[in-house]
């Protein structure tokens, strides 16, 4: 028995070591593109295309930063992107969670039909709506302003679907019944009962929405007709020169600096998700 037990323990250790080795290898592979971007942002274009490739930091980072700031209005376009991404994220979290709460926990005539229409909208590529959306924005007079980026993105089918699925399992009907007995109306049930329970789902949706809006390129390029009033991704696209004159050191520096707000948002959102899940595990 003792021999069998020792063999079982050794087998468990080997499996644990193999699992951790696989996780470490996967982490290194996932982090390598970011490391490569850091390395390229510290080299000149000629050094980037040299052979063998440079794997250690160079000395051109500050020069690339100065070239980036001279080429585009980096901080102005970053402020535009922050405004759009932050406003859209808060609006999506509110409207999508509110609609999802209704779909998940309330019965009303036509609910299944409306949700089916929502899923049909979810399956339609966003590119197909670009032309009619531009026509609508032009008739309203919003073309060229940030409103044309914020209002159309204030709610989306994916967010409603995601939060509905999350709320169906996370919010127990007994909680809502108890709140109704205490005299809570619909908005109080949503604000005081539903939202505290679904914060991990909201954190994921917030990260997903912010990253999508931050990296959006096609619609801002179409809607923001003033070249001096563009988002960061459109501004960075201006770094691509013509006839092979692109300075890839500056391009990679811009891409690297553009990642910083995304990393901050991801760190905050991931901490919220992990913290709420840990609290739930302790309560369980």
């Amino acid at each position: 028995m003792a021999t069998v037990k020792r063999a079982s323990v050794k087998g468990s250790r080997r499996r644990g070591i193999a699992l951790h080795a696989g996780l470490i290898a996967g982490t290194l592979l996932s982090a390598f593109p970011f490391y490569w971007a850091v390395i390229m942002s510290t080299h000149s274009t000629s050094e980037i295309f040299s052979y063998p490739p440079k794997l250690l930091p160079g000395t051109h980072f500050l020069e690339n930063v100065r070239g980036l700031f001279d080429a585009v209005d980096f901080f102005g376009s970053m402020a535009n992107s922050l405004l759009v991404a932050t406003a859209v994220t808060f609006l999506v979290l509110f409207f999508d969670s509110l609609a999802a709460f209704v779909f998940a926990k309330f019965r009303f005539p036509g609910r299944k039909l409306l949700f089916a229409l929502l899923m049909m909208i979810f399956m339609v590529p966003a590119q197909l709506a670009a032309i009619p959306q531009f026509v609508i924005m032009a008739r309203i007079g919003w073309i060229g302003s940030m409103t044309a980026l914020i209002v159309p993105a204030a709610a989306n089918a994916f967010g409603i679907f995601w939060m509905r699925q999350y709320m169906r399992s996370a919010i127990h009907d007994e909680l809502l019944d108890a709140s109704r007995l205490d005299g809570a109306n619909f908005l109080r049930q949503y604000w005081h009962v539903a939202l505290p329970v679904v914060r991990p789902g909201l954190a994921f949706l917030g990260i997903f929405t912010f990253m999508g809006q931050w990296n959006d390129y096609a619609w801002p390029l179409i809607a923001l007709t003033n070249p001096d009033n563009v988002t960061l991704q459109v501004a960075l696209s201006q770094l691509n020169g013509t006839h092979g004159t692109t300075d890839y050191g500056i391009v990679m520096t811009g891409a690297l600096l553009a990642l910083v707000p995304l990393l901050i948002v991801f760190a905050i959102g991931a901490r919220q998700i992990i913290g709420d899940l840990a609290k739930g595990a302790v309560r369980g």
Side-chain angles (χ1 to χ4, degrees):
M1 290 295 293
T3 303
V4 173
K5 187 175 182 179
R6 284 196 295 269
S8 177
V9 171
K10 289 181 179 179
S12 299
R13 288 179 178 175
R14 292 193 188 99
R15 288 191 295 271
I17 292 173
L19 176 62
H20 283 81
L23 292 175
I24 292 172
T27 302
L28 293 177
L29 287 174
S30 300
F32 182 76
F34 179 75
Y35 172 77
W36 187 241
V38 173
I39 295 301
M40 287 194 291
S41 67
T42 62
H43 290 283
S44 63
T45 300
S46 60
E47 291 174 337
I48 290 175
F49 288 98
S50 64
Y51 185 84
K54 306 289 185 180
L55 297 177
L56 295 177
T59 59
H60 288 78
F61 180 72
L62 293 179
E63 180 180 342
N64 290 336
V65 170
R66 286 193 293 268
L68 173 66
F69 292 165
D70 292 338
V72 297
D73 183 10
F74 183 83
F75 290 107
S77 57
M78 176 178 280
N80 294 335
S81 291
L82 281 174
L83 172 63
V84 172
T86 303
V88 169
T89 299
F90 278 104
L91 290 173
V92 165
L93 290 179
F94 175 69
F95 288 119
D96 285 10
S97 62
L98 189 64
F101 182 51
V102 174
F103 277 118
K105 292 300 175 181
F106 293 88
R107 297 184 180 275
F108 55 90
R111 183 183 65 163
K112 293 183 179 180
L113 177 61
L114 286 175
F115 192 73
L117 292 174
L118 185 71
M119 290 298 95
M120 292 176 62
I121 296 173
F122 181 33
M123 291 184 289
V124 175
Q127 290 78 5
L128 294 180
I131 295 177
Q133 188 169 288
F134 181 86
V135 172
I136 294 173
M137 295 296 105
R139 290 182 177 179
I140 297 176
W142 287 353
I143 291 297
S145 68
M146 297 299 170
T147 312
L149 305 183
I150 296 173
V151 174
N156 58 70
F158 168 77
I160 297 175
F161 171 76
W162 160 253
M163 292 306 303
R164 173 187 177 268
Q165 299 304 109
Y166 196 95
M167 288 180 174
R168 289 183 65 182
S169 59
I171 303 174
H172 299 291
D173 294 334
E174 291 79 4
L175 289 174
L176 297 177
D177 293 338
S179 65
R180 293 189 190 101
L181 291 176
D182 290 337
N185 57 21
F186 170 77
L187 289 178
R188 292 194 63 183
Q189 292 176 42
Y190 164 76
W191 189 260
H192 294 288
V193 178
L195 290 188
V197 177
V198 299
R199 282 189 299 181
L202 289 173
F204 166 78
L205 181 60
I207 295 173
F208 182 83
T209 303
F210 189 92
M211 292 179 64
Q213 290 299 315
W214 184 266
N215 292 322
D216 191 15
Y217 171 74
W219 179 240
L221 180 65
I222 296 172
L224 297 179
T225 54
N226 185 356
D228 297 327
N229 187 28
V230 297
T231 57
L232 184 58
Q233 302 304 325
V234 178
L236 292 180
S237 69
Q238 299 172 4
L239 298 174
N240 293 322
T242 57
H243 307 292
T245 60
T246 301
D247 191 324
Y248 289 98
I250 294 178
V251 171
M252 292 310 304
T253 301
L256 180 65
L257 294 180
L259 284 175
V260 174
L262 292 182
L263 295 176
I264 295 174
V265 170
F266 180 80
I268 295 173
R271 183 177 181 181
Q272 179 68 43
I273 294 173
I274 295 172
D276 285 339
L277 291 179
K279 290 178 182 178
V282 171
R283 293 193 200 101

